[in-house]
Amino acid sequence: CRIEFAPYPSGKYDKIASEGAGIAAAFDQCRKDLPTLSSWSDDEIEATYNSLKSTPSELLFQSPLGPFVVFSAFGIWRDGLAAWSIPPCKEYLDLCQFVPAPQMFGN
């Protein structure tokens, strides 16, 4: 239920709330979808939702932050980061010496 209230990617209940039906309609739909919450009030659902924290796997796989972190980490590992005095990976540079350069257009 928590992920469906998330604004990115827009979850089912977030869409209901943001398309004009309001948060009360989103809570009503949540109660219909999840019968165990049928006796919960809007305040109880909202308090529970607000108390839950994202897990690292949710951040990596279900948010735009994940690909940014992965590609940035790979770029820093490969090329280093001079601003923070992080040198490039020596093993990567040593490996690159042995990889033949592609020949373009028969050159």
Side-chain angles (χ1 to χ4, degrees), residues 48-64:
T48 302
Y49 170 75
N50 290 334
S51 70
L52 298 173
K53 304 298 180 211
S54 295
T55 63
S57 66
E58 287 175 343
L59 292 175
L60 286 175
F61 300 113
Q62 297 176 352
S63 79

Side-chain angles (χ1 to χ4, degrees), residues 16-38:
I16 293 170
S18 64
E19 290 176 352
I23 194 71
F27 289 144
D28 288 340
Q29 185 62 47
C30 183
R31 282 189 208 92
K32 289 177 189 170
D33 293 344
L34 303 167
T36 55
L37 300 180
S38 63

Side-chain angles (χ1 to χ4, degrees), residues 82-100:
W84 292 351
S85 302
I86 299 174
C89 179
K90 183 177 178 347
E91 290 82 13
Y92 176 80
L93 294 176
D94 291 344
L95 177 69
C96 288
Q97 293 176 4
F98 302 108
V99 176

